[in-house]
Amino acid sequence: MLMKFFRLLKILRVTLRYGIDEIALSGLKVPRALQLLEAVMFWRDLSAPRGERLRKALEELGPIFVKFGQVLSTRRDLMPPDIAEELSLLQDRVPSFDPELAIAQIKKSLGAHPDELFASFERQPVASASIAQVHFATLKDGREVAVKVLRPGMKDTIDKDIALMQVAAGWLETLWADGKRLKPREVVGEFDKYLHDELDLMREAANASQLRRNFANSDLLLVPEMHWDYCSPSVIVMERMHGIPISQIERLREAGVDMGKLSRDGVTIFFTQVFRDGFFHADMHPGNILVSTRPETFGRYIALDFGIVGTLNDFDKDYLSQNFLAFFQRDYKRVAEAHIESGWAPKDTRVDELEAAVRACCEPIFDRPLRDISFGQVLLRLFQTSRRFNVEVQPQLVLLQKTLLNIEGLGRQLDPDLDLWKTAKPFLERWMSEQVGWRGLKQKLAAEAPRYSHIFPQLPRLAHQALTRLSEEKDDQKVLLAMLEEQRKTNLLLRTIIFFGAGLISGLIIAQILFRHYVH
């Protein structure tokens, strides 16, 4: 309890130092509170932009708050553009933890000391982030591996900070004029789930395995192989990858990498993951991407860190195909109708108003050179439009938008002349043909063929059974009708007997009464 109190004091101190209270209070339902605060805290220098102050505050509060800022930067449907842009600059700048703690974690999780498990184990970590850190090692068969170890005590730290965030979110929702629309408690709840998912490294290993299988025959992307015998929820061991970080542009050029091809390959990899597989790496910032320098795989992308992935179901793909097709044909009315039909826009939304707003977002891009078009910026404007019309933004599409922004920014850094639309359009047109055209029908029939192959031989027997049941049902119906007729006759006979018996008894009683009357 005492530690929680001191943690709260630190949060309050950092909040006041960077003027985060001023950012929050600017939207209060009681504006005079802000004036009072400014008078009391007159000594503070709040000349820096609010987004920069918020970013620095989160960095000072530590890794969990840095992660929270990173998640907020993806929710551009909720955050003002200037704050979202600044938060996107947040990086995990976390000191490594004691190697002895990492060794203890490995021993606890895998049941043996690293010196017994591996031929060699490097004590000094090569990378450190808020959730885990990485050590290089060599298996006893000579294969080089990377060992990812969960940071000790993370669950308790996360639970304590999340509890404080929930309290702050409740205050914001109550006091802030825009609080209910921004749903701060739901955002914190989403972040809580996201963090606890990252605490299970087996989930990350499974994501990597799926992505590796999807690109098994590709000459574009390399994904490290997981060594499952050495994996647990707090330790995973994977193939060590050799390459140059993609952010080191000069080293890539000196190595002879074709930068134009590299940028185009990045776009192709992204759209392949999204539209072919419906399963995409959703944390593709430069720190998680290398470029292979080995002769046999030279120039290929290497993906790392699979804690965050996005998935799209058939409904999402159908929604995207309709929207992309409508965009290419400039059919903005169809875009508006697709949003309303999907239920993401309220049913009472006027189609013509939403159509006009979408047109205002998209029409200007068609009259500019393709190289000047930013796919990501178009999506950002669409998200801002969706906020105005209370469109319910789906989490998987927010991840998609965030990843597309990363890819586009990375691609333009590698090749300033990158034409994202020119690179993506043939892929998208081919994919849409496969989804809604004749090729799509053939592929779907082929995919369903294994199921149908079991059903077709059974059709004669099933048809015979159905006809037999129908015949039996008709026979049963005849029997039932006959029984009903017999029941009707029986009921009629019973009524006759009852009426006759009642009349007979009544007659006897009346005769007895008359007989006695005449006798007396």
Side-chain angles (χ1 to χ4, degrees):
M1 186 64 184
L2 187 61
M3 294 298 293
K4 189 174 181 180
F5 174 73
F6 283 122
R7 180 62 170 160
L8 183 59
L9 284 182
K10 180 179 179 180
I11 292 172
L12 290 174
R13 179 179 62 78
V14 173
T15 296
L16 293 174
R17 177 183 173 187
Y18 289 99
I20 309 307
D21 51 310
E22 182 262 344
I23 298 173
L25 292 175
S26 62
L28 274 181
K29 298 174 183 177
V30 186
R32 290 183 181 178
L34 180 59
Q35 298 173 1
L36 178 62
L37 180 70
E38 289 174 347
V40 173
M41 309 291 291
F42 65 90
W43 48 269
R44 294 186 299 179
D45 179 13
L46 303 181
S47 57
R50 61 179 184 173
E52 180 183 338
R53 288 187 278 124
L54 179 58
R55 174 177 60 80
K56 289 181 177 178
L58 294 174
E59 287 175 342
E60 187 168 328
L61 287 172
I64 304 305
F65 283 82
V66 168
K67 281 281 185 186
F68 186 54
Q70 290 173 337
V71 171
L72 284 180
S73 72
T74 70
R75 297 305 306 266
R76 293 174 185 254
D77 56 312
L78 300 178
M79 302 299 296
D82 61 317
I83 291 180
E85 193 65 33
E86 189 68 34
L87 292 182
S88 67
L89 302 177
L90 284 169
Q91 299 293 328
D92 287 330
R93 300 184 180 92
V94 183
S96 60
F97 56 89
D98 188 344
E100 291 304 317
L101 292 176
I103 290 172
Q105 185 79 282
I106 294 171
K107 188 175 179 180
K108 178 182 177 183
S109 299
L110 302 183
H113 194 281
D115 292 341
E116 300 174 25
L117 293 169
F118 308 107
S120 66
F121 178 81
E122 296 183 13
R123 263 61 174 173
Q124 189 62 31
V126 294
S128 180
S130 56
I131 298 295
Q133 70 183 28
V134 178
H135 297 256
F136 285 152
T138 305
L139 295 179
K140 292 186 177 180
D141 61 7
R143 287 179 293 176
E144 295 180 321
V145 294
V147 183
K148 189 169 186 176
V149 185
L150 194 69
R151 189 175 286 270
M154 282 305 298
K155 188 177 186 306
D156 289 341
T157 302
I158 288 172
D159 289 342
K160 290 173 184 176
D161 280 352
I162 289 291
L164 294 174
M165 288 180 186
Q166 286 285 11
V167 172
W171 290 346
L172 281 177
E173 194 165 301
T174 303
L175 300 174
W176 204 13
D178 216 18
K180 288 190 176 179
R181 184 186 67 80
L182 296 181
K183 301 177 181 177
R185 282 188 291 187
E186 290 186 21
V187 172
V188 173
E190 181 181 321
F191 176 59
D192 186 14
K193 178 181 180 301
Y194 155 79
L195 272 184
H196 280 88
D197 284 348
E198 275 207 297
L199 288 177
D200 184 358
L201 296 186
M202 285 293 284
R203 182 186 293 267
E204 178 179 342
N207 291 339
S209 181
Q210 176 69 55
L211 193 62
R212 178 182 170 86
R213 187 162 56 251
N214 290 346
F215 282 83
N217 300 315
S218 170
D219 59 356
L220 298 175
L221 180 67
L222 298 172
V223 178
E225 179 185 4
M226 292 291 152
H227 296 284
W228 292 105
D229 291 341
Y230 301 92
C231 290
S232 74
S234 56
V235 177
I236 55 175
V237 177
M238 69 195 82
E239 174 188 5
R240 179 177 174 179
M241 310 302 285
H242 295 270
I244 299 173
I246 201 164
S247 57
Q248 299 181 13
I249 307 297
E250 290 306 316
R251 281 189 63 192
L252 291 172
R253 287 199 177 101
E254 289 171 4
V257 175
D258 183 340
M259 305 303 287
K261 180 179 183 301
L262 191 65
S263 63
R264 293 190 298 273
D265 285 351
V267 175
T268 303
I269 289 169
F270 169 72
F271 282 101
T272 301
Q273 291 181 56
V274 171
F275 294 105
R276 187 194 69 183
D277 305 325
F279 184 90
F280 59 95
H281 191 311
D283 198 17
M284 295 184 72
H285 61 74
N288 289 338
I289 304 173
L290 306 177
V291 179
S292 176
T293 53
R294 289 191 167 181
E296 64 273 18
T297 57
F298 184 79
R300 293 189 196 177
Y301 278 85
I302 299 172
L304 303 172
D305 196 345
F306 310 93
I308 309 174
V309 296
T311 57
L312 299 173
N313 57 31
D314 289 340
F315 179 83
D316 298 325
K317 288 183 177 182
D318 181 62
Y319 163 81
L320 289 172
S321 67
Q322 290 190 46
N323 275 276
F324 275 120
L325 191 60
F327 276 128
F328 284 134
Q329 297 173 347
R330 302 199 195 189
D331 185 356
Y332 304 117
K333 181 178 181 181
R334 182 63 199 136
V335 174
E337 289 174 343
H339 276 73
I340 297 171
E341 289 169 3
S342 68
W344 294 347
K347 293 296 182 184
D348 58 355
T349 303
R350 287 186 53 174
V351 174
D352 58 336
E353 290 183 357
L354 185 54
E355 175 191 355
V358 173
R359 181 183 294 108
C361 284
C362 301
E363 190 63 24
I365 68 174
F366 288 105
D367 296 324
R368 296 165 58 191
L370 287 175
R371 71 175 58 184
D372 296 335
I373 293 172
S374 169
F375 212 164
Q377 292 302 318
V378 172
L379 279 177
L380 286 183
R381 293 185 66 185
L382 285 173
F383 273 113
Q384 291 165 4
T385 299
S386 71
R387 183 166 54 187
R388 173 186 158 198
F389 284 89
N390 295 319
V391 173
E392 183 180 343
V393 179
Q394 305 300 301
Q396 68 274 23
L397 297 186
V398 173
L399 274 178
L400 181 70
Q401 171 257 342
K402 172 235 184 188
T403 307
L404 181 55
L405 283 173
N406 285 342
I407 292 296
E408 185 176 37
L410 181 62
R412 291 186 190 277
Q413 184 181 359
L414 297 173
D415 179 11
D417 293 327
L418 172 68
D419 188 336
L420 182 66
W421 280 56
K422 187 177 180 181
T423 306
K425 188 175 178 181
F427 187 98
L428 292 173
E429 288 178 332
R430 183 173 66 253
W431 178 79
M432 285 188 292
S433 172
E434 292 172 354
Q435 291 297 304
V436 300
W438 173 247
R439 291 172 63 188
L441 177 61
K442 289 197 298 183
Q443 286 190 358
K444 288 173 184 175
L445 288 175
E448 294 291 339
R451 287 179 54 195
Y452 296 146
S453 65
H454 294 291
I455 295 174
F456 283 142
Q458 301 178 43
L459 284 179
R461 178 173 55 82
L462 294 173
H464 179 265
Q465 289 177 351
L467 291 172
T468 301
R469 279 199 305 270
L470 183 62
S471 176
E472 289 173 352
E473 287 173 1
K474 287 183 178 180
D475 292 341
D476 291 343
Q477 189 175 13
K478 289 179 182 178
V479 172
L480 180 61
L481 290 173
M483 290 177 66
L484 289 173
E485 180 63 22
E486 287 298 322
Q487 184 66 42
R488 188 184 64 80
K489 291 179 180 178
T490 301
N491 291 341
L492 179 62
L493 179 61
L494 287 173
R495 283 198 299 271
T496 302
I497 292 171
I498 290 170
F499 288 145
F500 177 77
L504 180 61
I505 292 171
S506 300
L508 290 173
I509 293 172
I510 293 171
Q512 184 69 21
I513 292 171
L514 291 173
F515 176 75
R516 288 181 179 180
H517 175 72
Y518 286 115
V519 168
H520 296 289

